[in-house]
Amino acid sequence: MCLHLPRLPLDALGPWPEPLAACPALVWAADARGARQVCCVNAAARSLDLQPGQRLNTAEALAPQALRLARDPAREAAALERLALALGCLTPHICPAPPDQLLLEVRASLRLFGGIRRLRTRALAITRSSGLQVRSSLATTPLAAQWLAAAGQRHRHALRLESTRQRLQPLALARLAGRLAPDEVATADSLEMLQALGARTLADLHRLPRSGLNRRGAAAWVDALDRAEGRRPDPRRWHEPPEACRLDLELPHRAEAVADLEGALTPLVHSLCGWLARRWQAATALRLNLRHEQGARRHLPDQLIELQLTTPSRDAAHLITLLRERLQQVVLSAAVDSLRLELTGQQAEAGRPLALLPDQPDERGHQDALAGLIDRLRARLGDERLLRLQLQPDARPEKAQQRAAPQPGGREGAERRLPSSAAAAAAAPPRPAWLLEAPRPLTPPGPPGPPGAAGASDNTPALDGRPLRLLTRPERIETGWHDGALLRRDYHVALGEDGRLWWIFRERQGSLEQADGAAPRWFLHGLFG
């Protein structure tokens, strides 16, 4: 598969905001003689009769209101590199073909992605989400795919060698002169010689004798034709991702608001996810640097956005959502002129197991959805406002759990599980859903009465002057001797007159909470839902 980027000189200078994207714009560059020529135009400029190859003076006379931009080969190479990283989630065999093409060997990926149509759709979607206009072609040889993509014909797909050779025949030689290998580029003299012999297309080149073409300096054309038609090998050097993932993007204009930065995040995140896929890794922590414009008299530090993930992920849509949530909370101290996205935490992830049968519950999908919700809440509310309850090895209810931050890079609750069987759940004592911060003393229902009456010698508990009825036998908790905070309590589930269930306890002799010589008291410690 070949992805041809016909507007790369203009798209590499983006991403452009909506009002500016609709304006006529052109990119110019100086040729070998120093003359400035138009090399790329957008649709609005083409409607004003601006065409690539025109003189810049001519374009200025035709459309003086058009935006004129100088070509930047460094930014074009950076955009091609980011796209090569982003497409790593589809295949590891990627070959950049400068100045404006990418080659992907996709035969081994067809079954994984459900066929050539779905794979091509995903490749085009990733490219367009990066702000690049794209045209694709499919062929059995690399050079044939390049030629078909650059030709701009309607039928650019040839999945068999016979159809590939057939589709190549009507291609014009003038459009293919710049698509040969860099060390075998056909000169203008050889192309002029072939046209003088009547060869306008590859079919015409087939009819000419090869020995004569080699003697006349057209050996590069013969060799390229053999490689395109599969008669000679055409080895390519695969793209190698860098060891560390650090992506930079220079904005075409100063961003005064956070909304101007959201569109620039998409190509960076797609490149990051492609790098992770090729390395069989998943992100656990990211850092986004907002670089401010540096003036002559001041040096402003970068604004940093740290992102910790509850579950390792290389899903581009999920990461883009989290970064946008964080950006909504940022107040820019100055205009931003460039971005840097850096991977600060990662762990190995070679894939995720799926259910064997379709009717089996998807527990992994449920866990992923829960982890995604936690990540979005953390990004929107802040890390300090989202806590989890962590079990502790202590029988005292107020110390049996503590609040902690969600664990980055791991599953919640994976280190400690509650009993799941029905027998274990039935044997476990009841616990309320709401535990008070500190036990609240209960008052007796009224003055002492005759023996056996409520609130007399039996010390019946009462809440706000209303007696409570005990429903369970006492659950004795006696611990704390190891840290000097001895507790001796008898817990009960009590029913109030309004039908609510309360969790109360009565202190026993020797408890740290009991005053010397005082009678045992009742305390309220929690309530049930």
Side-chain angles (χ1 to χ4, degrees):
M1 178 185 297
C2 179
L3 299 180
H4 179 63
L5 311 174
R7 271 184 24 177
L8 182 61
L10 182 61
D11 295 338
L13 300 176
W16 304 99
E18 288 296 333
L20 196 59
C23 297
L26 61 90
V27 178
W28 61 271
D31 58 9
R33 300 179 180 179
R36 296 185 297 180
Q37 290 186 346
V38 177
C39 59
C40 184
V41 298
N42 62 356
R46 195 177 296 274
S47 63
L48 300 177
D49 294 335
L50 299 185
Q51 300 291 335
Q54 289 178 337
R55 296 277 184 171
L56 183 59
N57 296 335
T58 304
E60 291 176 347
L62 291 175
Q65 74 276 19
L67 180 63
R68 297 176 291 275
L69 304 169
R71 188 172 185 176
D72 192 343
R75 297 190 66 172
E76 295 178 27
L80 205 62
E81 173 73 12
R82 288 195 300 268
L83 182 59
L85 289 176
L87 295 172
C89 63
L90 303 180
T91 174
H93 299 151
I94 300 174
C95 177
D100 54 4
Q101 287 184 342
L102 272 177
L103 287 169
L104 289 78
E105 200 284 314
V106 297
R107 178 177 294 275
S109 303
L110 296 183
R111 185 177 180 182
L112 177 62
F113 292 96
I116 189 62
R117 294 180 180 270
R118 294 184 179 180
L119 181 62
R120 173 179 173 270
T121 301
R122 293 191 61 170
L124 297 182
I126 292 175
T127 307
R128 288 169 181 149
S129 65
S130 301
L132 302 174
Q133 191 181 57
V134 62
R135 203 163 54 216
S136 69
S137 66
L138 294 166
T140 55
T141 62
L143 190 55
Q146 290 183 254
W147 283 356
L148 291 174
Q153 296 180 353
R154 180 179 179 183
H155 300 289
R156 299 182 297 272
H157 304 328
L159 303 183
R160 302 181 64 181
L161 184 59
E162 294 78 4
S163 58
T164 297
R165 294 175 179 176
Q166 182 180 2
R167 296 284 173 81
L168 290 176
Q169 303 309 310
L171 299 185
L173 299 181
R175 301 193 59 143
L176 307 180
R179 300 295 170 180
L180 303 183
D183 56 343
E184 298 175 347
V185 176
T187 62
D189 295 337
S190 64
L191 178 62
E192 184 179 356
M193 181 269 298
L194 291 175
Q195 292 177 345
L197 294 176
R200 300 290 189 273
T201 64
L202 289 179
D204 299 333
L205 189 63
H206 262 295
R207 288 189 286 266
L208 298 178
R210 297 195 169 206
S211 58
L213 292 176
N214 292 332
R215 290 195 305 268
R216 293 173 179 266
W221 286 98
V222 177
D223 178 73
L225 183 60
D226 289 341
R227 288 187 286 113
E229 295 185 350
R231 295 184 175 89
R232 290 191 56 184
D234 189 8
R236 302 295 179 109
R237 183 181 297 275
W238 301 125
H239 173 263
E240 290 292 336
E243 292 296 328
C245 188
R246 185 181 295 110
L247 304 167
D248 295 308
L249 178 62
E250 183 180 354
L251 302 178
H253 59 93
R254 296 187 305 170
E256 302 286 349
V258 173
D260 299 334
L261 302 175
E262 295 181 355
L265 284 175
T266 302
L268 295 181
V269 175
H270 278 291
S271 300
L272 170 70
C273 294
W275 186 92
L276 291 171
R278 294 184 66 174
R279 295 280 181 174
W280 293 101
Q281 301 285 318
T284 59
L286 303 176
R287 179 189 297 129
L288 179 63
N289 291 32
L290 307 181
R291 295 184 170 183
H292 302 292
E293 184 181 15
Q294 305 300 328
R297 299 182 180 179
R298 63 177 183 174
H299 180 78
L300 296 177
D302 298 346
Q303 287 184 261
L304 303 180
I305 299 178
E306 301 284 349
L307 185 63
Q308 298 287 337
L309 299 180
T310 304
T311 301
S313 174
R314 56 171 178 252
D315 183 12
H318 180 58
L319 297 181
I320 290 174
T321 301
L322 298 182
L323 288 173
R324 286 179 176 176
E325 292 286 354
R326 281 294 178 90
L327 277 178
Q328 295 298 328
Q329 306 173 16
V330 174
V331 178
L332 299 180
S333 57
V336 179
D337 62 350
S338 64
L339 301 176
R340 168 174 286 184
L341 183 62
E342 186 175 359
L343 180 67
T344 57
Q346 58 183 331
Q347 74 177 40
E349 182 174 305
R352 300 185 177 183
L354 301 176
L356 178 62
L357 301 177
D359 56 347
Q360 289 182 343
D362 188 6
E363 297 183 359
R364 189 63 178 263
H366 175 72
Q367 294 177 355
D368 291 342
L370 178 59
L373 174 61
I374 294 176
D375 286 336
R376 290 194 298 272
L377 290 176
R378 293 178 66 187
R380 182 174 302 179
L381 303 178
D383 292 337
E384 68 283 354
R385 297 193 178 188
L386 191 65
L387 303 175
R388 66 186 177 95
L389 295 178
Q390 184 178 15
L391 298 180
Q392 299 296 317
D394 200 317
R396 289 168 287 190
E398 57 268 27
K399 296 185 178 181
Q401 60 189 14
Q402 68 177 5
R403 297 175 182 177
Q407 294 179 348
R411 299 285 179 181
E412 294 302 320
E415 78 288 348
R416 192 182 301 274
R417 296 183 182 274
L418 296 177
S420 57
S421 64
R431 288 292 183 268
W434 182 6
L435 197 68
L436 302 183
E437 291 289 343
R440 170 185 167 186
L442 294 178
T443 59
S457 59
D458 57 350
N459 194 15
T460 304
L463 179 63
D464 297 332
R466 298 181 179 181
L468 300 175
R469 184 163 59 93
L470 304 182
L471 300 181
T472 60
R473 299 178 61 183
E475 175 195 353
R476 181 159 298 175
I477 296 179
E478 185 172 343
T479 185
W481 54 268
H482 53 279
D483 57 2
L486 179 62
L487 295 181
R488 306 179 68 187
R489 301 171 179 173
D490 288 341
Y491 278 89
H492 297 266
V493 177
L495 176 64
E497 293 182 354
D498 55 357
R500 296 184 181 182
L501 293 178
W502 307 91
W503 201 44
I504 63 176
F505 70 87
R506 185 181 183 181
E507 60 185 3
R508 301 180 64 249
Q509 295 293 338
S511 176
L512 186 64
E513 301 167 334
Q514 186 181 18
D516 295 337
R521 296 175 299 171
W522 287 96
F523 290 84
L524 173 64
H525 206 177
L527 58 96
F528 293 86

